[in-house]
Amino acid sequence: MAGKIVADTLEHSTAGSIATNFVVNGSAKAWADVSSVTSVGDSLNVASLTDDGGSAPNDYTIAYTSNMGSANFSVTATVDALAPRIAVADNKSASGFSLNIYVSNSVGTATGNTSDFTVHGDLA
């Protein structure tokens, strides 16, 4: 049975009820499916994705449509690749962050990958 929202609570047949602020606070505030050619397949709250260029083809800057309340938010990122890769989020600010994809066994950045990320925290 699907849950329903009644006033300020979410009711569910097996879980009782829970205040909607728990649901809202726990929801992702931004997410995206990013291809290796700096395009976004689908997203929420992502205004732009910019290739930072240079010798790092999988270094991106992500800008939000609606800013976060501060740089104190969590980013979880994954990489869809056949070889080992590491996704690193850094340079966080209320307006966005950098997403860098690295080969896990070398110092260079990786090419030809798709990645996904979600952001949790408070919106401004």
XYZ file of all heavy atoms in Angstrom:
868
model
N 0.842 -1.176 0.000
C 0.000 0.000 0.000
C 0.889 1.242 0.000
O 1.825 1.356 0.772
C -0.901 -0.017 1.231
C -1.746 1.206 1.384
S -2.792 1.023 2.846
C -3.940 2.296 2.497
N 0.635 2.161 -0.847
C 1.435 3.384 -0.938
C 1.152 4.295 0.237
O 0.064 4.314 0.786
C 1.126 4.115 -2.246
N 2.199 5.069 0.627
C 2.026 6.038 1.705
C 1.260 7.250 1.205
O 1.132 7.494 0.017
N 0.715 8.004 2.127
C 0.018 9.223 1.759
C 0.416 10.327 2.717
O 0.757 10.075 3.873
C -1.491 9.035 1.759
C -2.063 8.717 3.129
C -3.576 8.570 3.076
C -4.094 8.257 4.471
N -5.537 8.247 4.521
N 0.413 11.548 2.234
C 0.760 12.693 3.062
C -0.511 13.311 3.605
O -1.432 13.623 2.870
C 1.566 13.735 2.266
C 2.895 13.133 1.828
C 1.795 14.991 3.100
C 3.734 14.025 0.967
N -0.563 13.435 4.919
C -1.692 14.048 5.597
C -1.140 15.154 6.473
O -0.372 14.887 7.389
C -2.453 13.016 6.462
C -3.596 13.680 7.195
C -2.943 11.855 5.603
N -1.499 16.387 6.176
C -0.997 17.550 6.920
C 0.518 17.500 6.943
O 1.134 17.515 5.908
C -1.615 17.630 8.295
N 1.136 17.401 8.124
C 2.588 17.383 8.230
C 3.148 16.014 8.556
O 4.243 15.886 9.086
C 3.051 18.384 9.303
C 2.895 19.815 8.845
O 2.896 20.037 7.623
O 2.765 20.688 9.700
N 2.429 14.946 8.248
C 2.937 13.602 8.498
C 2.782 12.757 7.254
O 1.930 13.008 6.408
C 2.199 12.915 9.672
O 0.823 12.782 9.322
C 2.349 13.686 10.968
N 3.635 11.759 7.157
C 3.557 10.780 6.085
C 3.077 9.486 6.725
O 3.716 8.982 7.644
C 4.932 10.596 5.442
C 5.039 9.547 4.346
C 4.240 9.998 3.127
C 6.493 9.338 3.970
N 1.950 8.979 6.273
C 1.402 7.763 6.860
C 1.675 6.589 5.949
O 1.584 6.692 4.731
C -0.095 7.915 7.074
C -0.458 8.963 8.116
C -1.961 9.067 8.325
O -2.723 8.375 7.614
O -2.351 9.852 9.191
N 2.013 5.474 6.543
C 2.256 4.249 5.804
C 1.648 3.102 6.601
O 1.711 3.102 7.820
C 3.763 4.026 5.608
C 4.050 2.912 4.671
N 4.143 1.613 5.084
C 4.258 2.898 3.339
C 4.409 0.840 4.051
N 4.483 1.593 2.985
N 1.125 2.133 5.928
C 0.377 1.087 6.618
C 1.222 0.264 7.585
O 0.713 -0.212 8.585
C -0.282 0.166 5.593
O 0.703 -0.463 4.809
N 2.521 0.088 7.308
C 3.333 -0.744 8.199
C 4.309 0.054 9.043
O 4.788 -0.436 10.054
C 4.128 -1.783 7.393
O 4.971 -1.098 6.471
C 3.200 -2.726 6.671
N 4.611 1.272 8.663
C 5.634 2.034 9.377
C 5.044 3.061 10.323
O 5.775 3.834 10.915
C 6.542 2.724 8.372
N 3.755 3.126 10.474
C 3.154 4.163 11.308
C 3.166 5.470 10.546
O 2.847 5.520 9.378
N 3.568 6.548 11.214
C 3.660 7.824 10.523
C 4.966 8.493 10.903
O 5.563 8.204 11.933
C 2.475 8.726 10.878
O 2.496 9.028 12.253
N 5.398 9.391 10.054
C 6.660 10.093 10.253
C 6.469 11.537 9.803
O 5.749 11.794 8.834
C 7.801 9.395 9.481
C 9.148 10.045 9.781
C 7.529 9.385 7.998
C 10.325 9.244 9.255
N 7.080 12.468 10.487
C 6.982 13.877 10.106
C 7.631 14.088 8.747
O 8.677 13.510 8.441
C 7.657 14.759 11.156
N 7.018 14.897 7.894
C 7.540 15.115 6.544
C 8.914 15.763 6.543
O 9.665 15.595 5.589
C 6.571 15.964 5.698
O 6.310 17.181 6.377
C 5.295 15.216 5.426
N 9.291 16.502 7.603
C 10.618 17.109 7.601
C 11.708 16.045 7.578
O 12.787 16.270 7.041
C 10.810 18.059 8.789
C 10.781 17.351 10.126
O 9.930 16.502 10.359
N 11.703 17.713 11.006
N 11.449 14.837 8.109
C 12.434 13.760 8.022
C 12.599 13.312 6.574
O 13.697 13.016 6.129
C 12.026 12.568 8.891
C 12.149 12.824 10.353
C 11.020 12.844 11.147
C 13.380 13.053 10.944
C 11.117 13.079 12.506
C 13.495 13.298 12.296
C 12.360 13.313 13.091
N 11.520 13.240 5.835
C 11.574 12.845 4.434
C 12.267 13.923 3.619
O 13.168 13.652 2.825
C 10.158 12.563 3.883
C 10.203 12.253 2.400
C 9.511 11.433 4.662
N 11.895 15.180 3.810
C 12.485 16.288 3.065
C 13.971 16.408 3.390
O 14.806 16.546 2.498
C 11.746 17.608 3.367
C 12.480 18.803 2.784
C 10.331 17.543 2.828
N 14.334 16.353 4.652
C 15.740 16.481 5.040
C 16.588 15.336 4.516
O 17.773 15.511 4.267
C 15.874 16.579 6.558
C 15.365 17.886 7.088
O 15.263 18.863 6.351
N 15.021 17.928 8.361
N 16.020 14.166 4.339
C 16.773 13.019 3.868
C 16.813 12.859 2.366
O 17.506 11.992 1.852
N 16.101 13.690 1.634
C 16.048 13.580 0.179
C 17.259 14.221 -0.479
O 17.809 15.198 0.034
C 14.787 14.257 -0.356
O 13.640 13.623 0.146
N 17.662 13.685 -1.627
C 18.762 14.282 -2.386
C 18.349 15.668 -2.863
O 17.235 15.864 -3.336
C 19.125 13.403 -3.573
N 19.237 16.626 -2.737
C 18.964 17.999 -3.176
C 19.466 18.250 -4.590
O 19.106 19.225 -5.234
C 19.593 19.011 -2.214
C 19.113 18.863 -0.762
C 17.602 18.870 -0.648
C 17.086 18.865 0.770
N 17.351 17.687 1.560
N 20.329 17.354 -5.077
C 20.795 17.406 -6.467
C 21.280 16.010 -6.839
O 21.732 15.254 -5.981
C 21.926 18.415 -6.626
N 21.164 15.668 -8.113
C 21.725 14.431 -8.635
C 21.843 14.545 -10.142
O 21.187 15.387 -10.767
C 20.891 13.198 -8.254
C 19.477 13.199 -8.729
C 18.392 13.606 -8.030
C 18.987 12.796 -10.015
N 17.251 13.468 -8.790
C 17.592 12.975 -10.016
C 19.586 12.302 -11.170
C 16.795 12.683 -11.122
C 18.793 12.005 -12.276
C 17.412 12.180 -12.237
N 22.716 13.734 -10.729
C 22.854 13.745 -12.187
C 23.521 12.473 -12.679
O 24.282 11.828 -11.966
C 23.658 14.949 -12.654
N 23.222 12.153 -13.922
C 23.882 11.118 -14.695
C 24.749 11.872 -15.698
O 24.234 12.614 -16.532
C 22.835 10.254 -15.405
C 23.460 9.303 -16.388
O 24.381 8.570 -15.996
O 23.036 9.302 -17.557
N 26.070 11.720 -15.598
C 27.015 12.513 -16.398
C 27.748 11.602 -17.370
O 28.299 10.580 -16.972
C 28.048 13.210 -15.477
C 29.019 14.044 -16.285
C 27.348 14.055 -14.426
N 27.784 11.986 -18.657
C 28.535 11.203 -19.637
C 29.948 11.752 -19.763
O 30.276 12.818 -19.266
C 27.845 11.238 -21.002
O 28.089 12.463 -21.640
N 30.793 11.020 -20.460
C 32.190 11.423 -20.609
C 32.357 12.616 -21.550
O 33.437 13.158 -21.667
C 33.030 10.256 -21.115
O 32.570 9.860 -22.388
N 31.311 13.027 -22.226
C 31.416 14.159 -23.160
C 30.775 15.407 -22.572
O 30.277 16.261 -23.277
C 30.790 13.823 -24.537
C 31.597 12.771 -25.245
C 29.346 13.375 -24.379
N 30.808 15.508 -21.268
C 30.292 16.655 -20.504
C 28.829 16.967 -20.782
O 28.440 18.121 -20.843
C 31.153 17.923 -20.697
O 31.035 18.374 -22.030
C 32.578 17.692 -20.313
N 28.057 15.931 -20.941
C 26.623 16.155 -21.054
C 25.925 15.456 -19.902
O 26.413 14.468 -19.373
C 26.091 15.656 -22.399
O 26.212 14.261 -22.483
N 24.790 16.004 -19.528
C 24.011 15.448 -18.435
C 22.835 14.693 -19.024
O 22.032 15.259 -19.762
C 23.530 16.575 -17.488
C 22.656 16.012 -16.398
C 24.724 17.317 -16.901
N 22.754 13.391 -18.716
C 21.658 12.583 -19.230
C 20.337 12.947 -18.583
O 19.334 13.154 -19.247
N 20.327 13.043 -17.279
C 19.152 13.429 -16.522
C 19.665 14.000 -15.215
O 20.758 13.653 -14.762
C 18.250 12.224 -16.278
C 16.813 12.619 -15.961
O 16.520 13.839 -15.930
O 15.992 11.725 -15.713
N 18.886 14.894 -14.605
C 19.400 15.541 -13.398
C 18.295 16.213 -12.602
O 17.183 16.389 -13.080
C 20.441 16.593 -13.767
O 19.830 17.674 -14.453
N 18.665 16.613 -11.401
C 17.830 17.432 -10.538
C 18.721 18.512 -9.943
O 19.793 18.200 -9.404
C 17.220 16.589 -9.413
C 16.495 17.379 -8.311
C 15.184 17.939 -8.847
C 16.262 16.505 -7.099
N 18.330 19.768 -10.065
C 19.027 20.912 -9.484
C 20.449 21.087 -10.014
O 21.341 21.525 -9.300
C 19.032 20.833 -7.951
C 19.403 22.152 -7.313
O 19.244 23.213 -7.888
N 19.925 22.078 -6.098
N 20.688 20.731 -11.278
C 21.993 20.940 -11.904
C 21.810 21.941 -13.036
O 21.147 21.663 -14.030
C 22.586 19.622 -12.437
C 23.882 19.871 -13.189
C 22.817 18.650 -11.291
N 22.405 23.147 -12.866
C 22.294 24.202 -13.874
C 23.270 23.976 -15.015
O 22.942 24.186 -16.176
C 22.537 25.567 -13.243
N 24.502 23.544 -14.683
C 25.504 23.338 -15.724
C 26.586 22.388 -15.257
O 26.798 22.194 -14.058
C 26.143 24.666 -16.135
O 26.886 25.208 -15.056
N 27.250 21.806 -16.242
C 28.401 20.953 -16.022
C 29.466 21.437 -16.982
O 29.234 21.497 -18.189
C 28.032 19.505 -16.298
C 29.165 18.515 -16.137
C 28.714 17.364 -15.260
C 29.615 18.010 -17.479
N 30.626 21.830 -16.480
C 31.688 22.394 -17.304
C 32.910 21.492 -17.237
O 33.340 21.102 -16.147
C 32.082 23.800 -16.798
O 30.913 24.607 -16.759
C 33.116 24.433 -17.693
N 33.480 21.160 -18.410
C 34.734 20.413 -18.462
C 35.853 21.377 -18.098
O 36.020 22.418 -18.742
C 34.938 19.856 -19.863
C 36.144 18.948 -19.980
O 36.986 18.921 -19.055
O 36.258 18.271 -21.010
N 36.614 21.056 -17.050
C 37.690 21.940 -16.619
C 38.887 21.917 -17.569
O 39.807 22.706 -17.418
C 38.120 21.608 -15.190
C 37.038 21.950 -14.182
O 36.145 22.759 -14.511
O 37.081 21.397 -13.073
N 38.887 21.008 -18.553
C 39.883 21.011 -19.612
C 41.285 20.652 -19.149
O 41.478 20.008 -18.139
N 42.267 21.102 -19.940
C 43.659 20.808 -19.618
C 43.950 19.337 -19.792
O 43.417 18.676 -20.665
N 44.832 18.811 -18.952
C 45.228 17.410 -19.059
C 44.292 16.493 -18.280
O 44.572 15.327 -18.098
C 46.656 17.242 -18.533
O 46.696 17.627 -17.173
N 43.212 17.035 -17.803
C 42.277 16.260 -16.991
C 40.894 16.252 -17.638
O 40.023 17.024 -17.272
C 42.214 16.850 -15.593
N 40.676 15.379 -18.632
C 39.403 15.403 -19.355
C 38.186 14.991 -18.550
O 37.080 15.228 -18.967
C 39.640 14.436 -20.512
C 40.725 13.542 -20.024
C 41.587 14.361 -19.125
N 38.358 14.344 -17.419
C 37.208 13.978 -16.599
C 37.212 14.750 -15.288
O 36.955 14.213 -14.219
C 37.131 12.482 -16.357
C 36.544 11.721 -17.527
O 36.927 10.623 -17.818
N 35.589 12.337 -18.217
N 37.531 16.032 -15.380
C 37.412 16.948 -14.248
C 36.322 17.937 -14.610
O 36.440 18.676 -15.584
C 38.720 17.701 -13.988
C 39.760 16.838 -13.306
O 39.444 15.689 -12.955
O 40.891 17.317 -13.120
N 35.250 17.939 -13.828
C 34.082 18.752 -14.125
C 33.797 19.733 -12.993
O 34.081 19.455 -11.835
C 32.833 17.874 -14.297
C 32.974 16.769 -15.302
C 32.920 15.435 -14.909
C 33.137 17.056 -16.651
C 33.027 14.413 -15.832
C 33.249 16.029 -17.581
C 33.193 14.714 -17.164
O 33.296 13.707 -18.076
N 33.180 20.839 -13.329
C 32.621 21.738 -12.334
C 31.113 21.682 -12.486
O 30.598 21.895 -13.583
C 33.124 23.183 -12.517
O 34.535 23.195 -12.327
C 32.472 24.117 -11.519
N 30.433 21.392 -11.402
C 28.971 21.304 -11.393
C 28.424 22.539 -10.694
O 28.881 22.882 -9.606
C 28.495 20.027 -10.664
C 28.769 18.775 -11.513
C 27.005 20.074 -10.384
C 30.061 18.151 -11.305
N 27.473 23.216 -11.324
C 26.805 24.376 -10.721
C 25.344 24.020 -10.477
O 24.702 23.382 -11.315
C 26.903 25.590 -11.635
N 24.839 24.432 -9.323
C 23.454 24.156 -8.968
C 22.492 25.178 -9.569
O 22.847 26.329 -9.772
C 23.255 24.201 -7.446
C 24.091 23.218 -6.679
C 24.899 23.649 -5.637
C 24.054 21.867 -6.964
C 25.667 22.752 -4.913
C 24.815 20.968 -6.251
C 25.621 21.414 -5.226
O 26.374 20.525 -4.506
N 21.258 24.776 -9.783
C 20.174 25.681 -10.139
C 19.754 26.468 -8.899
O 19.608 27.683 -8.946
C 18.974 24.893 -10.695
O 19.414 24.101 -11.800
C 17.866 25.812 -11.126
N 19.565 25.773 -7.782
C 19.257 26.384 -6.480
C 20.405 26.059 -5.540
O 20.716 24.883 -5.322
C 17.957 25.826 -5.902
O 16.869 26.133 -6.730
N 21.044 27.088 -4.987
C 22.226 26.901 -4.143
C 21.923 26.116 -2.872
O 20.809 26.135 -2.361
C 22.828 28.248 -3.747
C 23.565 28.898 -4.901
O 23.795 28.292 -5.943
N 23.939 30.134 -4.704
N 22.967 25.482 -2.372
C 22.913 24.842 -1.065
C 23.057 25.945 -0.014
O 23.474 27.065 -0.323
C 24.040 23.820 -0.928
C 23.989 22.700 -1.964
S 22.510 21.680 -1.872
C 22.820 20.773 -0.372
N 22.748 25.632 1.236
C 22.837 26.613 2.306
C 24.267 26.979 2.658
O 24.533 28.066 3.153
N 25.220 26.061 2.395
C 26.635 26.285 2.684
C 27.428 25.231 1.921
O 26.861 24.456 1.143
C 26.908 26.168 4.176
O 26.782 24.822 4.590
N 28.725 25.179 2.177
C 29.577 24.145 1.576
C 29.565 22.861 2.395
O 30.276 21.909 2.074
C 30.999 24.668 1.431
N 28.744 22.810 3.435
C 28.657 21.637 4.302
C 27.565 20.693 3.816
O 26.484 20.610 4.395
C 28.395 22.062 5.749
C 29.507 22.904 6.298
O 30.676 22.661 6.012
N 29.164 23.923 7.059
N 27.845 19.987 2.723
C 26.924 19.007 2.174
C 27.708 17.762 1.790
O 28.932 17.785 1.701
C 26.137 19.563 0.978
C 26.996 20.125 -0.125
C 27.537 19.306 -1.103
C 27.262 21.486 -0.183
C 28.324 19.822 -2.119
C 28.038 22.023 -1.190
C 28.572 21.183 -2.161
N 27.009 16.692 1.546
C 27.625 15.415 1.215
C 27.425 15.101 -0.260
O 26.327 15.273 -0.790
C 26.985 14.319 2.067
O 27.394 13.045 1.630
N 28.483 14.638 -0.917
C 28.403 14.191 -2.305
C 28.787 12.721 -2.347
O 29.819 12.322 -1.805
C 29.366 14.981 -3.221
C 29.300 14.452 -4.650
C 29.077 16.469 -3.177
N 27.945 11.920 -2.962
C 28.260 10.521 -3.223
C 28.331 10.368 -4.729
O 27.384 10.732 -5.436
C 27.171 9.591 -2.654
O 27.038 9.846 -1.255
C 27.535 8.139 -2.881
N 29.463 9.860 -5.237
C 29.643 9.735 -6.682
C 30.103 8.328 -7.029
O 30.836 7.691 -6.262
C 30.664 10.753 -7.176
N 29.666 7.849 -8.189
C 30.081 6.549 -8.701
C 30.573 6.719 -10.127
O 30.276 7.713 -10.788
C 28.927 5.539 -8.693
O 27.894 6.020 -9.560
C 28.380 5.333 -7.295
N 31.326 5.737 -10.598
C 31.840 5.752 -11.966
C 31.452 4.439 -12.624
O 31.657 3.371 -12.052
C 33.374 5.906 -11.992
C 33.880 5.976 -13.420
C 33.815 7.120 -11.205
N 30.899 4.516 -13.828
C 30.555 3.332 -14.604
C 31.702 3.083 -15.580
O 31.813 3.769 -16.595
C 29.258 3.549 -15.384
C 28.106 3.918 -14.474
O 28.071 3.398 -13.345
O 27.260 4.721 -14.886
N 32.598 2.150 -15.250
C 33.758 1.873 -16.094
C 34.155 0.412 -15.949
O 33.882 -0.216 -14.925
C 34.925 2.777 -15.704
N 34.827 -0.116 -16.961
C 35.294 -1.496 -16.903
C 36.573 -1.618 -16.085
O 36.869 -2.667 -15.537
C 35.528 -2.034 -18.317
C 34.274 -2.110 -19.187
C 34.635 -2.565 -20.590
C 33.247 -3.044 -18.568
N 37.372 -0.559 -16.017
C 38.619 -0.556 -15.252
C 38.398 0.191 -13.939
O 37.465 0.982 -13.825
C 39.713 0.109 -16.065
N 39.253 -0.040 -12.948
C 39.092 0.632 -11.650
C 39.186 2.156 -11.767
O 40.119 2.687 -12.376
C 40.249 0.090 -10.816
C 40.679 -1.160 -11.498
C 40.378 -0.964 -12.948
N 38.213 2.846 -11.194
C 38.170 4.306 -11.217
C 37.794 4.819 -9.835
O 37.149 4.118 -9.050
C 37.131 4.829 -12.212
C 37.329 4.379 -13.639
C 38.512 5.103 -14.269
N 38.588 4.890 -15.689
C 39.457 4.074 -16.283
N 40.296 3.374 -15.547
N 39.476 3.939 -17.584
N 38.172 6.050 -9.549
C 37.839 6.707 -8.292
C 37.198 8.050 -8.616
O 37.715 8.815 -9.434
C 39.093 6.926 -7.423
C 39.721 5.581 -7.062
C 38.748 7.718 -6.167
C 41.072 5.701 -6.396
N 36.069 8.346 -7.993
C 35.401 9.642 -8.150
C 35.662 10.460 -6.895
O 35.462 9.980 -5.785
C 33.906 9.446 -8.354
N 36.120 11.707 -7.088
C 36.436 12.592 -5.966
C 35.675 13.901 -6.142
O 35.751 14.532 -7.200
C 37.952 12.885 -5.896
C 38.256 13.869 -4.782
C 38.738 11.598 -5.720
N 34.950 14.303 -5.108
C 34.270 15.604 -5.105
C 35.086 16.543 -4.226
O 35.424 16.196 -3.098
C 32.858 15.465 -4.563
N 35.411 17.728 -4.760
C 36.150 18.714 -3.974
C 35.754 20.119 -4.394
O 34.843 20.300 -5.192
C 37.663 18.493 -4.062
C 38.205 18.607 -5.480
O 37.445 18.921 -6.411
O 39.414 18.382 -5.657
N 36.421 21.106 -3.860
C 36.112 22.519 -4.142
C 34.639 22.825 -3.923
O 34.021 23.537 -4.717
C 36.539 22.905 -5.564
C 38.019 22.752 -5.786
O 38.813 23.052 -4.903
N 38.399 22.255 -6.941
N 34.077 22.289 -2.848
C 32.659 22.494 -2.577
C 32.379 23.931 -2.141
O 33.130 24.508 -1.371
C 32.177 21.524 -1.493
C 32.254 20.073 -1.900
C 31.568 19.122 -0.947
C 31.987 19.251 0.473
N 31.355 18.270 1.369
N 31.291 24.477 -2.678
C 30.786 25.786 -2.269
C 29.267 25.705 -2.308
O 28.705 24.725 -2.801
C 31.294 26.891 -3.196
O 30.648 26.808 -4.452
N 28.596 26.729 -1.829
C 27.132 26.725 -1.841
C 26.574 26.653 -3.256
O 25.468 26.163 -3.469
C 26.600 27.965 -1.129
N 27.347 27.080 -4.256
C 26.858 27.114 -5.639
C 27.260 25.906 -6.476
O 26.812 25.763 -7.612
C 27.324 28.391 -6.328
O 28.733 28.444 -6.356
N 28.112 25.004 -5.937
C 28.493 23.833 -6.706
C 29.724 23.148 -6.165
O 30.158 23.408 -5.034
N 30.337 22.279 -6.987
C 31.534 21.540 -6.587
C 32.241 21.008 -7.824
O 31.729 21.102 -8.939
C 31.170 20.389 -5.634
C 30.335 19.304 -6.263
C 30.908 18.158 -6.769
C 28.957 19.439 -6.337
C 30.134 17.162 -7.343
C 28.165 18.453 -6.899
C 28.767 17.311 -7.409
N 33.440 20.461 -7.619
C 34.189 19.815 -8.691
C 34.077 18.309 -8.548
O 34.113 17.782 -7.427
C 35.667 20.206 -8.636
O 35.830 21.568 -8.885
N 33.933 17.616 -9.665
C 33.897 16.158 -9.694
C 35.057 15.703 -10.557
O 35.159 16.086 -11.726
C 32.571 15.658 -10.275
C 32.402 14.147 -10.394
C 32.456 13.483 -9.012
C 31.108 13.807 -11.097
N 35.969 14.924 -9.980
C 37.168 14.458 -10.671
C 37.163 12.937 -10.713
O 36.937 12.290 -9.694
C 38.425 14.947 -9.941
C 38.375 16.443 -9.721
O 38.343 17.209 -10.661
N 38.337 16.847 -8.470
N 37.433 12.371 -11.894
C 37.470 10.926 -12.082
C 38.915 10.522 -12.334
O 39.547 11.032 -13.255
C 36.593 10.483 -13.277
C 35.193 11.090 -13.192
C 36.567 8.966 -13.383
C 34.397 10.702 -11.975
N 39.435 9.606 -11.528
C 40.815 9.159 -11.639
C 40.890 7.663 -11.885
O 40.028 6.908 -11.443
C 41.585 9.455 -10.341
C 41.684 10.924 -10.028
C 40.782 11.517 -9.151
C 42.659 11.708 -10.607
C 40.868 12.865 -8.850
C 42.757 13.066 -10.320
C 41.851 13.632 -9.442
O 41.931 14.961 -9.163
N 41.965 7.234 -12.585
C 42.294 5.821 -12.693
C 42.835 5.424 -11.329
O 43.697 6.110 -10.784
C 43.354 5.585 -13.791
C 43.745 4.125 -13.854
C 42.841 6.078 -15.135
N 42.355 4.339 -10.747
C 42.715 4.020 -9.366
C 44.154 3.558 -9.197
O 44.685 3.579 -8.106
C 41.769 2.974 -8.799
O 41.916 1.763 -9.490
N 44.818 3.148 -10.266
C 46.190 2.663 -10.120
C 47.213 3.556 -10.824
O 48.291 3.114 -11.173
C 46.298 1.223 -10.617
C 45.881 1.083 -12.071
O 45.418 2.032 -12.689
N 46.032 -0.107 -12.603
N 46.873 4.829 -11.071
C 47.840 5.762 -11.652
C 47.481 7.180 -11.212
O 46.415 7.425 -10.669
C 47.848 5.672 -13.185
O 46.816 6.431 -13.747
N 48.391 8.111 -11.484
C 48.158 9.493 -11.061
C 47.335 10.282 -12.067
O 46.885 11.377 -11.790
C 49.496 10.223 -10.813
C 50.221 9.562 -9.672
C 50.359 10.220 -12.077
N 47.124 9.748 -13.266
C 46.389 10.473 -14.295
C 44.888 10.393 -14.108
O 44.370 9.575 -13.353
N 44.197 11.269 -14.798
C 42.741 11.196 -14.763
C 42.256 10.258 -15.853
O 42.964 9.971 -16.812
C 42.104 12.581 -14.958
O 42.574 13.119 -16.184
C 42.454 13.510 -13.814
N 41.061 9.776 -15.697
C 40.506 8.783 -16.602
C 39.659 9.433 -17.683
O 39.098 10.503 -17.493
C 39.656 7.806 -15.804
N 39.587 8.772 -18.828
C 38.725 9.239 -19.909
C 37.718 8.150 -20.240
O 37.904 6.989 -19.907
C 39.539 9.566 -21.180
O 40.216 8.374 -21.595
C 40.534 10.667 -20.925
N 36.654 8.532 -20.932
C 35.689 7.567 -21.429
C 34.817 6.936 -20.373
O 34.503 5.758 -20.457
N 34.430 7.687 -19.370
C 33.613 7.149 -18.294
C 32.297 7.902 -18.195
O 32.200 9.045 -18.603
C 34.329 7.307 -16.952
C 35.693 6.695 -16.970
O 35.833 5.502 -17.145
N 36.702 7.519 -16.819
N 31.332 7.246 -17.619
C 30.130 7.952 -17.189
C 30.120 7.904 -15.671
O 30.707 7.006 -15.065
C 28.847 7.327 -17.753
O 28.754 5.983 -17.301
C 28.829 7.388 -19.267
N 29.503 8.875 -15.062
C 29.444 8.898 -13.602
C 28.080 9.392 -13.169
O 27.326 9.964 -13.954
C 30.557 9.774 -13.027
O 30.437 11.086 -13.508
N 27.801 9.161 -11.921
C 26.539 9.592 -11.317
C 26.881 10.193 -9.962
O 27.841 9.768 -9.320
C 25.605 8.396 -11.098
C 25.403 7.594 -12.368
O 24.760 8.115 -13.289
O 25.882 6.446 -12.425
N 26.105 11.174 -9.540
C 26.321 11.712 -8.203
C 25.002 12.133 -7.589
O 24.035 12.412 -8.275
C 27.299 12.896 -8.212
C 26.784 14.131 -8.898
C 25.959 15.035 -8.240
C 27.133 14.384 -10.214
C 25.480 16.169 -8.879
C 26.660 15.518 -10.856
C 25.840 16.419 -10.191
N 24.988 12.146 -6.252
C 23.876 12.692 -5.486
C 24.443 13.638 -4.430
O 25.568 13.448 -3.961
C 23.039 11.607 -4.773
O 23.893 10.874 -3.891
C 22.386 10.674 -5.752
N 23.661 14.645 -4.079
C 24.062 15.627 -3.074
C 22.999 15.668 -1.999
O 21.804 15.791 -2.286
C 24.229 17.031 -3.706
C 24.569 18.068 -2.648
C 25.291 17.001 -4.808
N 23.427 15.540 -0.743
C 22.529 15.644 0.407
C 22.993 16.774 1.295
O 24.189 16.936 1.531
C 22.505 14.349 1.199
C 21.818 13.233 0.491
N 22.438 12.416 -0.426
C 20.541 12.814 0.546
C 21.584 11.558 -0.887
N 20.406 11.762 -0.315
N 22.074 17.580 1.781
C 22.370 18.698 2.652
C 21.185 19.633 2.657
O 20.084 19.277 2.213
N 21.404 20.843 3.106
C 20.318 21.830 3.193
C 20.412 22.835 2.056
O 21.481 23.367 1.777
C 20.389 22.583 4.524
C 20.143 21.678 5.711
O 19.325 20.747 5.562
O 20.765 21.893 6.758
N 19.294 23.090 1.414
C 19.231 24.145 0.407
C 19.204 25.513 1.094
O 18.821 25.631 2.255
C 17.977 23.998 -0.460
C 17.966 22.791 -1.412
C 16.594 22.656 -2.051
C 19.045 22.930 -2.469
N 19.627 26.533 0.339
C 19.623 27.891 0.880
C 18.196 28.365 1.084
O 17.268 27.926 0.480
C 20.340 28.831 -0.081
